[in-house]
Amino acid sequence: MILRMSNQPENNANLLVRSLSAVWHPCSQMKHYENFPLLPIARGSGVWLYDYDKKRYLDAVSSWWVNLFGHCDPRISAAITDQLGKLEHVMLAGFTHEPVVQLSERLRELAPKGLGHCFYASDGASATEIALKMSAHYWRNSGKPEKMQFISLENSYHGETLGALSVTDVALFRDAYGALIRQQSAVPSPDWRKAAAGESAEVYALRCADALEQHLQRHHAQLAAFIIEPLVQGAAGMAMYHPVYLLRARQLCDEYGVHLIADEIAVGMGRTGTMFACEQAPATLSPDPSPASGRGEHDSAGEGIKKNGITPDFLCLSKGITGGYLPLSVVMTRDEIYQAFYGDEMTSGFLHSHSYTGNPLACRAALATLDIFAQDNVLAMNRNKAAYMNEIATPLREHRSVRNWRNTGMIWAFEVETSQHDFARRCFALALGNELLLRPIGNTIYFMPPYIISELEMDLLVSRTLRIVNQLS
Ligand SMILES: *Cc1c(COP(=O)(O)O)cnc(C)c1O
């Protein structure tokens, strides 16, 4: 056997065959790659990914929602390179280092007020599990060990390890493993697509909050926490909901003594128009919720309503936190929760660790990411980009086969009315032929582009998507 030298030029076909033989790809039926080939990527630059045949693809989904500032951003690369020359890794039990301290302090500054303690892991599912464990252990340390159940929203997604699956309500990911999971309950999702005819997103969200209240009334004695994806349920197909639900969830969790976990793994880091989605909760309930407005037109980052935001008991971050460079996740929590673990006994401490907890390279990537937010005034820049996108997307939003057009911050989504069998994979393949990386969820097409996308690139994204929708509808 001849081993391939690493400096030998690669090509698409060759790498594809080798990958299918040796690599088991995630979220895939491997046999489908016979008809819808894998795409070997050689390099990335800005919003573009390039294969070995010099074809390019606009990464309209930020590589599974992680890449905030495009591929190979020089500032993030430089920070990691600098850190490589100092310290690549050290265990975080019994040791500390400057990047992890700095990052924790800066996140504390940025996050909703009161979240002063950062616990690290390497991926989103682990962050979910940390929040669940911490919540239940808090109640145990506080003399209420019976509070160990959780609730989530219908169609929720919080990761795919066994513990995270117990609060994930996506049948495709959960059904095969149901017997391995300690099943938890789900309450109605405020996803406005489910509103009754003529009912506004706000009124529907309030109705869902009433259902939450009924559940809490009956079960609060056994409940440790309620976990939500604030404003946008990503894996559910970018289901969007009115921010009043955040305020009601916070109020009700306080009233019934249940923790609120905000899973901002996908929506944090500026994606919804504010640094964290929780910031968009209104200060008070509107005295007269408008019965017929605020559906897809809902401008999440807009002016008008006074927003105080809410502070969850646990805030989970991952995905974009390193700009899409290295795996890192963090769970932030309040001092009162931290104090419930503080004592002489090892067993009352929080017993959880990962080998790469707080990895210095990943922390430096995260610090560089935060620097870019500040230096480039990213949130303001994104407001302009979102306005531009909404303007040019009119033909798409008004297309005869497009339903439920919606936008929150830098996320756009819509359903395509189609009789196409296997829409998602057909659309994916057709998009590649149009230089786009789209990854529909069912018949939902969504855009979640890197924040550095230019107006020209947005023009291309919209016009090519229009072409694809025309072909598939
Ligand atoms: C992606 C995601 C997770 C899981 O993160 P992984 O790093 O894939 O384990 C959890 N919650 C939400 C909301 C996500 O979007």
Side-chain angles (χ1 to χ4, degrees):
M1 191 172 95
I2 301 162
L3 284 178
R4 171 173 289 276
M5 305 291 286
S6 60
N7 59 358
Q8 208 168 324
E10 201 32 284
N11 66 59
N12 274 3
N14 208 330
L15 203 60
L16 195 154
V17 170
R18 287 169 58 210
S19 190
L20 290 182
S21 136
V23 182
W24 197 336
H25 291 266
C27 202
S28 302
Q29 166 52 265
M30 292 298 292
K31 188 166 193 287
H32 288 168
Y33 290 122
E34 290 174 9
N35 297 322
F36 294 92
L38 273 174
L39 195 65
I41 295 298
R43 64 185 191 88
S45 172
V47 298
W48 297 100
L49 293 166
Y50 297 86
D51 69 12
Y52 289 88
D53 296 339
K54 304 252 165 11
K55 287 211 197 88
R56 61 173 197 171
Y57 308 93
L58 195 159
D59 187 355
V61 300
S62 297
S63 286
W64 255 352
W65 324 344
V66 301
N67 183 283
L68 298 191
F69 299 116
H71 296 278
C72 293
D73 175 88
R75 286 177 281 183
I76 304 177
S77 299
I80 297 171
T81 309
D82 178 64
Q83 186 59 37
L84 270 173
K86 293 176 177 158
L87 174 70
E88 82 301 333
H89 185 65
V90 64
M91 60 194 284
L92 203 62
F95 296 84
T96 194
H97 52 80
E98 205 177 328
V100 79
V101 173
Q102 268 190 31
L103 180 60
S104 307
E105 289 173 348
R106 286 182 64 183
L107 288 173
R108 178 168 64 192
E109 288 294 304
L110 287 168
K113 209 166 149 27
L115 297 173
H117 303 275
C118 293
F119 194 100
Y120 290 89
S122 315
D123 56 64
S126 299
T128 296
E129 302 220 355
I130 287 165
L132 299 180
K133 276 176 76 175
M134 233 181 221
S135 172
H137 198 164
Y138 166 90
W139 294 115
R140 184 184 157 91
N141 283 353
S142 311
K144 294 185 175 167
E146 67 284 359
K147 284 173 81 71
M148 53 175 184
Q149 307 282 337
F150 303 100
I151 44 176
S152 62
L153 291 175
E154 279 170 3
N155 300 320
S156 56
Y157 181 91
H158 299 291
E160 293 171 54
T161 55
L162 290 178
L165 267 183
S166 74
V167 288
T168 286
D169 185 37
V170 177
L172 176 68
F173 300 135
R174 208 190 50 190
D175 285 358
Y177 313 103
L180 309 178
I181 297 165
R182 198 170 127 231
Q183 208 63 62
Q184 308 291 343
S185 304
V187 292
S189 161
D191 170 2
W192 64 248
R193 291 173 301 174
K194 300 179 176 195
E199 186 179 39
S200 72
E202 184 176 7
V203 169
Y204 180 61
L206 290 168
R207 190 149 68 81
C208 291
D210 290 343
L212 169 65
E213 178 162 25
Q214 283 165 23
H215 190 93
L216 290 173
Q217 246 164 18
R218 291 176 51 187
H219 302 287
H220 66 91
Q222 284 79 45
L223 284 175
F226 175 35
I227 183 166
I228 56 172
E229 294 158 87
L231 294 187
V232 184
Q233 293 183 283
M238 302 299 157
M240 298 183 186
Y241 61 85
H242 195 280
V244 74
Y245 190 82
L246 300 177
L247 175 63
R248 286 300 288 141
R250 180 67 280 179
Q251 291 172 337
L252 291 168
C253 284
D254 283 342
E255 195 178 330
Y256 289 95
V258 170
H259 289 144
L260 181 63
I261 302 172
D263 174 352
E264 297 219 13
I265 289 167
V267 296
M269 311 306 293
R271 189 49 81 174
T272 65
T274 44
M275 197 63 177
F276 303 105
C278 280
E279 294 169 37
Q280 294 185 41
T284 52
L285 294 179
S286 134
D288 179 23
S290 140
S293 72
R295 305 244 315 180
E297 317 299 318
H298 167 63
D299 171 12
S300 61
E303 311 303 318
I305 309 161
K306 186 167 167 4
K307 298 171 198 144
N308 264 16
I310 53 158
T311 299
D313 299 291
F314 302 93
L315 177 68
C316 303
L317 302 174
S318 187
K319 290 210 162 92
I321 194 170
T322 62
Y325 270 65
L326 288 163
L328 182 74
S329 64
V330 56
V331 178
M332 303 182 69
T333 193
R334 298 185 294 112
D335 196 50
E336 192 227 333
I337 290 171
Y338 173 79
Q339 292 302 336
F341 291 82
Y342 202 80
D344 295 321
E345 300 303 321
M346 183 67 179
T347 50
S348 67
F350 184 55
L351 303 172
H352 192 100
S353 57
H354 296 283
S355 310
Y356 284 98
T357 296
N359 174 261
L361 296 169
C363 289
R364 279 299 295 277
L367 284 166
T369 298
L370 294 180
D371 285 343
I372 295 176
F373 271 98
Q375 287 161 6
D376 295 359
N377 202 358
V378 168
L379 296 178
M381 180 187 81
N382 282 356
R383 272 196 288 282
N384 294 333
K385 295 198 177 187
Y388 182 79
M389 178 75 110
N390 285 330
E391 196 184 302
I392 61 164
T394 306
L396 198 50
R397 137 205 240 143
E398 290 175 354
H399 191 279
R400 63 191 148 71
S401 303
V402 166
R403 304 281 177 272
N404 301 326
W405 172 270
R406 53 198 182 275
N407 163 235
T408 300
M410 289 294 279
I411 310 174
W412 290 264
F414 57 90
E415 276 73 56
V416 179
E417 186 115 310
T418 175
S419 52
Q420 287 278 339
H421 168 67
D422 218 2
F423 174 83
R425 280 188 295 135
R426 269 172 217 280
C427 179
F428 173 75
L430 207 51
L432 291 181
N434 281 283
E435 297 187 309
L436 297 185
L437 196 178
L438 296 177
R439 219 184 130 90
I441 301 171
N443 68 336
T444 303
I445 293 182
Y446 72 88
F447 305 147
M448 203 151 159
Y451 302 160
I452 50 135
I453 190 168
S454 69
E455 294 192 349
L456 255 152
E457 288 158 347
M458 286 190 265
D459 291 338
L460 186 138
L461 175 58
V462 167
S463 63
R464 302 280 173 93
T465 304
L466 197 57
R467 194 191 289 170
I468 294 163
V469 169
N470 274 328
Q471 275 179 269
L472 285 179
S473 61

